[in-house]
Amino acid sequence: MNYETQVAGDAPARIFGEEPRSSKRRALTIGAVIAIILIAAAAWISMHGKGEDAAATVEEAPVVTVLVPGQSIVPRTVSGTGSLAARVDMPVGVVGEGGQVTRVLVQPGDWVRAGQVLAVIERSVQTEQIRSLAAQLEVNRADAKLAQAQLDRAQALVKRGFISRADIDQRTATRDAANARVNVAVAQLAEQRARTGRLDIRAPAAGLVLTREVEPGQIVGSGSGVLFRMAKGGEMELLTQLSEGDLATLRPGNSATVTPVGSQTEFSGRVWQVSPVVDPQTRQGIARIAIPYNKEIRPGGFAAARIVSGTATAPLLPESAIQTDAKGHFVYVVNGRNEAERRGVEVGQVSPKGVPVTRGLNGGERIVASAGAFLRPGQKVRPQVQKAG
């Protein structure tokens, strides 16, 4: 029994030509083989990873065109927003006694001349009063004429002694009183005519009718408020809110460009007034920009403005060098280690010559001129300086 077992256990060793070994030595051998395999695998992975990093480093060093902008003389601009309004807003209401409106002669958008009738108020009573006063004037003139004739006859008789000097004085006084009554009647008639004329609602100056708040049949009076609103001469303006620092750079006469919301059209204007005070809460003031009439300029609307407040020196970059994201405008600067470095900037008004950088650069940096959208901060690059011209 034991012999058969021993023969069966030694059979594999004899088959491979090896001497029997103990279980302990076999376990050590297997462990050593596994360790060698693991070490080899780790070495292969390490070498493969370094190779990929090296290849990636080569691939991530693209050639980029850079420029050194220096300093250029550029227009210094101030940007702001605000509301559009009539430069001289003229409210028109009832100046006389008022009454019932019989006709309205203009509509919003109409041009009117100074003194033109905008609306007519019923005046039948006033017309009769004028006729009465005119008749009274004729009576007084007749009395004055009669008094003058009596005085003339008395003066002819006084030389013959038929009339005393006292009678002459009395007739002279009667004549003077009659003439005075004529003057009073003339003044009363003129006053009534003036009152009647004030029933017409007239334009105080030439300009553009903006609003109409009256209709035929409406009863109006001194307490009716504004019936029409006009823009004198049709001139408009933008009341733009600006910071305290920006206001300090402006002067009346500075040119400006105004763009209403929803429109692509730009309108030229000029600053005609700079607010002498600043709101202590917001630290802002108002600059008023005069704009010639245009049908696209609507009072009450919103608009943006760019005001040229002088000249300044600043780096001038092509538009392709300026990138924008949620944090604002930025450029990529190539540092001394040839790495792309993000730099936040503030820009001025775009012109055919380029984009001025008002803050963030001094002009001596190497700026990536294009393809900045494909770079990332810290990325290695191979810069090539852009040639002039």
Side-chain angles (χ1 to χ4, degrees), residues 11 89 119 210 270 308:
D89 193 321
L210 300 177
R270 288 195 174 276
V308 179

Side-chain angles (χ1 to χ4, degrees), residues 18 38 65 68 83 125 150 152 157 172 175 187 198 200 240 245 258 327 344 368:
E18 295 179 358
L38 292 175
T65 301
V68 180
S83 298
V125 174
Q150 290 176 346
D152 292 340
L157 295 174
T172 300
R175 190 275 315 270
R198 284 160 62 92
D200 290 331
T240 179
V258 176
K327 296 181 181 179
V368 177

Side-chain angles (χ1 to χ4, degrees), residues 22-294:
S22 67
S23 299
K24 185 175 181 180
R25 294 187 62 185
R26 186 182 297 114
L28 291 174
T29 302
I30 293 173
V33 172
I34 293 173
I36 291 172
I37 293 173
L38 292 175
I39 292 172
W44 182 86
I45 292 173
S46 176
M47 293 178 64
H48 183 70
K50 289 181 179 179
E52 287 183 344
D53 290 344
T57 300
V58 173
E59 292 177 357
E60 292 177 359
V63 176
V64 296
T65 301
V66 299
L67 58 87
V68 180
Q71 296 282 336
S72 302
I73 298 178
V74 296
R76 183 172 56 208
T77 61
V78 174
S79 299
T81 57
S83 298
L84 295 165
R87 180 175 177 181
V88 180
D89 193 321
M90 298 185 298
V92 183
V94 177
V95 295
E97 300 173 0
Q100 184 179 34
V101 177
T102 59
R103 289 185 298 163
V104 179
L105 305 178
V106 296
Q107 297 291 340
D110 289 348
W111 287 89
V112 297
R113 62 184 182 278
Q116 181 175 332
V117 177
L118 308 179
V120 178
I121 296 176
E122 195 276 331
R123 62 193 66 203
S124 59
V125 174
Q126 289 82 357
T127 300
E128 294 303 321
Q129 290 176 342
I130 290 175
R131 292 178 61 184
S132 175
L133 291 174
Q136 186 62 47
L137 174 60
E138 294 303 320
V139 171
N140 292 331
R141 283 175 173 168
D143 291 343
K145 184 177 180 181
L146 177 60
Q148 183 64 51
Q150 290 176 346
L151 176 60
D152 292 340
R153 285 195 297 268
Q155 288 177 340
L157 295 174
V158 72
K159 297 178 181 179
R160 302 177 184 180
F162 294 108
I163 295 180
S164 65
R165 195 64 194 178
D167 290 336
I168 295 298
D169 293 341
Q170 183 178 2
R171 293 176 188 274
T172 300
T174 301
R175 190 275 315 270
D176 293 342
N179 288 336
R181 287 192 295 271
V182 170
N183 293 335
V184 170
V186 169
Q188 289 176 340
L189 179 59
E191 178 186 0
Q192 186 58 46
R193 283 175 174 166
R195 288 179 181 274
T196 302
R198 284 160 62 92
L199 292 175
D200 290 331
I201 301 172
R202 297 177 179 272
L208 178 69
V209 178
L210 300 177
T211 62
R212 162 185 161 174
E213 302 295 337
V214 62
E215 297 297 335
Q218 183 175 337
I219 305 299
V220 297
S222 58
S224 298
V226 177
L227 303 182
F228 298 92
R229 190 171 292 279
M230 294 178 52
K232 184 178 181 180
E235 294 182 335
M236 303 296 170
E237 69 174 357
L238 175 67
L239 288 78
T240 179
Q241 296 276 352
L242 297 175
S243 67
E244 186 176 5
D246 288 339
L247 282 178
T249 67
L250 299 185
R251 299 290 184 274
N254 288 147
S255 61
T257 302
V258 176
T259 307
V261 169
S263 173
Q264 301 299 321
T265 307
E266 295 183 342
F267 300 94
S268 298
R270 288 195 174 276
V271 175
W272 73 275
Q273 186 183 82
V274 179
S275 176
V277 298
V278 173
D279 189 315
Q281 302 298 324
T282 63
R283 313 307 304 174
Q284 291 185 326
I286 295 177
R288 304 178 71 174
I289 302 172
I291 314 167
Y293 169 76
N294 188 286

